[in-house]
Amino acid sequence: MPKMFVIPARDRHTAIIIRRGPRKWTHLIQWDTRDDVFSHGAWIKGRIDGQMCDLSPHGEFFLYYLFRHTPADHPDLKHSWTAVSRTPWLYALTLWPEFSTYRGGGRFFDRFTVKLGGCGPEPHPDFPLGRLKVKKGPTPIHESSGEIPDSDWCGRDQSDRVIFTRAGKLFRLEGTAEKLVANFTDLTPDPQEAPAWAKEPI
């Protein structure tokens, strides 16, 4: 069964859903948490650890740590890197190669400032910073709140409602009742090229 991890944006009613499965595939879904509208984005054969990722305050940019099971096409990249893309795609607007499977990722301070946990402050020369500013040092991770014990992930949306995932399904708690918001169990990998707007520099 697929498993999902959710990162809500801090200042806008949006979130990114990181869906793992089948097997080694990962899929990104953008969620309008006010109207429950979903936008499907990137599929990639690799692992994205939601705990080490983050959304910019308005949900425009996605900072992610990726471990691929096969090397990238770029000659300087191997299996893992930290990057910033436009949600819900993985087209790297800026990128830092990683040499460890445990130290990548980071957090947004504001729209154009990130703090990185592992890689150096300088990005790969083919992936310039643009307007981004970078700090370095220990960064907190995103964790499940544990409010729903049998969930894969649990937390709260911008309206302080309990939201959670279980076996590829997304739920919201309404009173004591579990409301099914969306069912993503039957998705199959369908990798697409990122649209032109997702490739615009930061």
Side-chain angles (χ1 to χ4, degrees):
M1 279 291 182
K3 291 188 176 182
M4 301 191 300
F5 192 100
V6 182
I7 303 176
R10 188 175 68 223
D11 297 334
R12 187 167 291 175
H13 288 272
T14 188
I16 190 73
I17 300 171
I18 304 167
R19 180 190 183 276
R20 293 176 57 189
R23 293 178 62 83
K24 299 177 180 180
W25 285 93
T26 299
H27 178 45
L28 298 185
I29 306 167
Q30 189 168 14
W31 175 23
D32 179 331
T33 58
R34 174 178 288 158
D35 298 324
D36 292 337
V37 175
F38 300 91
S39 301
H40 291 265
W43 282 93
I44 193 167
K45 204 166 191 180
R47 177 188 174 116
I48 295 176
D49 189 336
Q51 291 185 317
M52 302 164 73
C53 300
D54 201 21
L55 276 183
S56 58
H58 286 183
E60 178 184 6
F61 301 113
F62 180 48
L63 188 156
Y64 63 94
Y65 170 71
L66 172 70
F67 178 80
R68 288 184 58 127
H69 298 282
T70 57
D73 296 333
H74 194 287
D76 293 343
L77 302 180
K78 299 299 182 183
H79 291 278
S80 61
W81 57 86
T82 294
V84 174
S85 64
R86 292 187 183 272
T87 313
W89 298 92
L90 291 172
Y91 184 88
L93 304 175
T94 188
L95 179 151
W96 298 265
E98 296 283 2
F99 305 100
S100 166
T101 57
Y102 303 102
R103 296 172 53 234
R107 295 292 287 268
F108 276 95
F109 272 38
D110 55 40
R111 186 186 183 194
F112 295 120
T113 307
V114 297
K115 188 174 184 181
L116 303 178
C119 49
E122 295 301 322
H124 189 283
D126 292 346
F127 302 88
L129 282 174
R131 287 179 284 178
L132 277 184
K133 298 178 182 179
V134 179
K135 299 180 179 181
K136 189 177 179 183
T139 56
I141 62 174
H142 287 283
E143 296 183 281
S144 176
S145 67
E147 293 170 271
I148 307 295
D150 63 342
S151 63
D152 295 326
W153 173 90
C154 182
R156 292 187 177 244
D157 66 10
Q158 294 83 4
S159 299
D160 201 36
R161 299 173 296 184
V162 175
I163 52 178
F164 60 99
T165 66
R166 184 191 295 127
K169 298 177 182 179
L170 176 66
F171 297 87
R172 181 185 295 120
L173 200 61
E174 297 189 352
T176 58
E178 297 182 359
K179 178 185 176 181
L180 177 64
V181 179
N183 185 345
F184 299 119
T185 56
D186 294 334
L187 298 182
T188 56
D190 183 25
Q192 303 285 334
E193 182 178 357
W197 61 263
K199 299 179 181 181
E200 295 178 4
I202 297 174

